[in-house]
Amino acid sequence: MLGVAAKLAYRNIKEAGLRTWLNVAVLALTFVVIVGFQGLYTGVLAQTSRAMIEDEIAGGQYWHKDYDPYDALSIDDGHGVIPSSLVSLIEEKKATPILIRQATIYPAGRAQSAQLRGIDPAQAILNIPTRSLLVSGEVGNASVSDSFGDTAAAFGTNGVKSATKAAIPTNAAASTSIAVALPSGANRGTSAPAGTNAAAIYELPILIGKRMAKSKNLAIGDYLTIRWRDSYGTFDATEGRIVHIMDTQVSSIDNGIIWVPIEALQHMTLLKNEATLLVVSPEAKHYITSQEWPFKTQAFLMRDLTEMIKTKRISSVIIYFILLFLGMLAIFDTQVLSLFRRRKEIGTLIALGMTRMQVVFVFTMEGIIQGALAIVVALIFGMPLLTYISEKGIAIPQMVEGYGFALSDKLFPVYSVELVLTTMAFIMVVVTTISFLPSSKIARLQPTEALKGKIS
């Protein structure tokens, strides 16, 4: 009897003609949109997470207890001497320290805020071209350490003293208004040779990102004036030369960020052996806990991204609901109209021996067949379309680069078998339920009333 019911359902679907295909089209479109959007969000999360792990987070980070990346006023206070327990990780090349200081730059004479980040040029934990900072790592016999250690207290031929000397205790190293490396054979505490450009003696190598270069109109080889405060709160300044412009998806290490050798920054700020955070290699499996240096996991560091994707997924439910509502409304109306037009047919089927539930099954099967046809149609035209998009990617406008997330020029959706099967099951459950609800009235129908064309 179930076979007969299935044949009747198929015949009725076939006779409905255009009405059936309209329902199928709406359901197929809903299926493709749901899979497409969910795959896009999955792809964005995977692509962005991978970029952040490679370029910024690695296996996690140790933060100094006073470091708060969201409080610009306290960033200069978030630093400390690296404990011996973490120094061993650095020596094993499983961690690299980063020192962060607030600064002011003067591109084209305009004062703009920036952030100085010191990093070991030889590090291999983060996938950023820090080795380019080694270009100016040593000039003649003057190394980076020499350049920013006990530098000259005064320079030039007019005997003008550095503005920082009076503010620094006598046992502390004095910084100079322009950090210079003395030529070979020159004595500390003496002025640079007359007519010598300090920036020509030692150029602070600078690494910036493409967003930073574009917004500040900077190029490789350009000089940039940088002003900062040392550990005693005294202002100091120097000239730096841009040696490389990196192309990274992660805007948080690009926009407003200036990368310099950490040893140079430690000497410039009088913070020897101090850092703001330590980036740990994914290979370091055993993490040391410390109150002074709490460990931040990958999940913690990417919580903004995951929350954003979660919010987007929730907001996209509105689109899914609208499309599903249209499909459900079409199927519901079709079922109600069929019950009204086929009253005598229902009475005849019951009179011929079919039970009420078997008649209900016929009408429910019609909705199920429409859902199955919708999935087939969606797979026929949707799979090639979604496959093409996943291979070619979706280009995004350049204005999106400033949103603060690691988005590349193209987004590549990720469609899994689990996503497709789950969406299929969801569509079929909804269609079956909507088909069953109006036809359930048949269970209370009397055959004599149905034969007369009455449905109460």
Side-chain angles (χ1 to χ4, degrees):
M1 188 62 72
L2 293 179
V4 174
K7 290 181 181 180
L8 287 173
Y10 175 74
R11 186 200 65 183
N12 296 330
I13 284 291
K14 188 176 179 180
E15 291 179 353
L18 181 60
R19 186 168 62 251
T20 296
W21 289 109
L22 288 176
N23 295 342
V24 168
V26 173
L27 291 175
L29 178 62
T30 303
F31 178 82
V32 173
V33 170
I34 292 176
V35 173
F37 271 91
Q38 291 299 318
L40 177 62
Y41 294 142
T42 302
V44 169
L45 180 60
Q47 185 178 344
T48 307
S49 299
R50 182 169 59 253
M52 292 181 66
I53 290 173
E54 291 178 353
D55 294 357
E56 182 181 19
I57 295 174
Q61 296 177 355
Y62 285 99
W63 287 5
H64 187 269
K65 63 180 181 64
D66 295 329
Y67 173 60
D68 183 359
Y70 299 106
D71 185 4
L73 299 178
S74 66
I75 284 182
D76 282 352
D77 299 327
H79 60 83
V81 177
I82 303 172
S84 57
S85 58
L86 298 179
V87 171
S88 59
L89 288 177
I90 299 175
E91 293 174 348
E92 296 172 1
K93 305 298 182 182
K94 293 183 178 180
T96 184
I98 295 178
L99 179 61
I100 302 176
R101 304 291 291 179
Q102 291 286 72
T104 303
I105 58 176
Y106 299 87
R110 307 185 309 271
Q112 298 184 17
S113 61
Q115 205 176 83
L116 274 172
R117 293 195 181 187
I119 190 172
D120 180 10
Q123 65 85 27
I125 295 175
L126 298 178
N127 186 28
I128 56 178
T130 54
R131 287 191 173 274
S132 60
L133 297 174
L134 294 171
V135 173
S136 301
E138 185 169 342
V139 182
N141 295 329
S143 65
V144 175
S145 299
D146 297 332
S147 306
F148 295 96
D150 296 325
T151 49
F155 67 96
T157 56
N158 56 1
V160 179
K161 293 187 177 181
S162 167
T164 65
K165 185 176 181 182
I168 301 176
T170 56
N171 60 348
S175 60
T176 146
S177 298
I178 297 182
V180 298
L182 299 179
S184 178
N187 296 324
R188 295 189 179 279
T190 62
S191 61
T196 301
N197 183 0
I201 300 176
Y202 177 80
E203 297 172 346
L204 176 68
I206 294 175
L207 169 67
I208 61 174
K210 64 175 183 179
R211 297 175 183 83
M212 176 75 167
K214 183 178 180 180
S215 62
K216 310 302 181 187
N217 195 24
L218 299 172
I220 295 177
D222 288 353
Y223 287 88
L224 191 62
T225 303
I226 307 172
R227 188 189 69 172
W228 70 92
R229 286 179 181 267
D230 61 22
S231 60
Y232 298 97
T234 307
F235 283 107
D236 210 342
T238 189
E239 290 279 336
R241 185 173 71 90
I242 300 172
V243 296
H244 189 80
I245 297 176
M246 62 179 172
D247 186 0
T248 176
Q249 298 180 23
V250 186
S251 60
S252 56
I253 64 172
D254 184 342
N255 285 328
I257 306 298
I258 299 175
W259 295 91
V260 298
I262 187 170
E263 189 178 351
L265 185 58
Q266 286 173 340
H267 282 281
M268 290 161 58
T269 56
L270 307 177
L271 297 172
K272 186 176 181 180
N273 298 328
E274 295 194 24
T276 302
L277 58 90
L278 271 79
V279 181
V280 181
S281 170
E283 300 176 358
K285 302 299 181 182
H286 302 287
Y287 303 114
I288 304 168
T289 58
S290 171
Q291 293 183 349
E292 293 290 324
W293 292 83
F295 181 73
K296 308 297 181 181
T297 62
Q298 288 182 349
F300 175 83
L301 296 172
M302 291 192 295
R303 67 189 187 280
D304 291 342
L305 172 64
T306 54
E307 288 297 326
M308 186 270 290
I309 296 297
K310 185 185 298 184
T311 303
K312 291 295 183 182
R313 289 185 189 274
I314 295 174
S315 61
S316 63
V317 171
I318 299 175
I319 300 177
Y320 306 158
F321 178 78
I322 293 174
L323 292 175
L324 275 176
F325 178 76
L326 293 175
M328 290 186 295
L329 183 62
I331 293 176
F332 188 84
D333 288 346
T334 300
Q335 295 294 76
V336 172
L337 182 61
S338 296
L339 289 175
F340 180 78
R341 295 179 58 186
R342 296 158 59 186
R343 291 167 293 179
K344 292 184 178 181
E345 177 187 345
I346 294 171
T348 302
L349 292 175
I350 296 176
L352 290 174
M354 290 185 69
T355 64
R356 291 177 176 81
M357 291 309 300
Q358 287 174 339
V359 178
V360 171
F361 177 76
V362 171
F363 283 85
T364 305
M365 180 59 70
E366 293 178 11
I368 294 175
I369 293 176
Q370 291 183 28
L373 285 175
I375 291 176
V376 172
V377 172
L379 292 177
I380 290 175
F381 83 86
M383 283 190 63
L385 176 63
L386 296 180
T387 301
Y388 176 82
I389 293 176
S390 64
E391 292 178 353
K392 299 298 182 180
I394 302 174
I396 60 175
Q398 293 184 352
M399 60 179 292
V400 180
E401 293 182 353
Y403 282 6
F405 296 99
L407 299 176
S408 62
D409 297 335
K410 288 187 176 181
L411 301 179
F412 294 89
V414 176
Y415 307 109
S416 62
V417 176
E418 180 183 0
L419 172 62
V420 174
L421 294 179
T422 302
T423 307
M424 284 183 182
F426 177 69
I427 294 290
M428 292 305 298
V429 168
V430 171
V431 169
T432 302
T433 304
I434 294 301
S435 301
F436 174 78
L437 291 177
S439 59
S440 62
K441 295 182 63 176
I442 300 174
R444 301 188 298 269
L445 183 64
Q446 296 297 326
T448 54
E449 294 181 356
L451 289 172
K452 293 178 183 179
K454 297 180 180 180
I455 295 181
S456 57

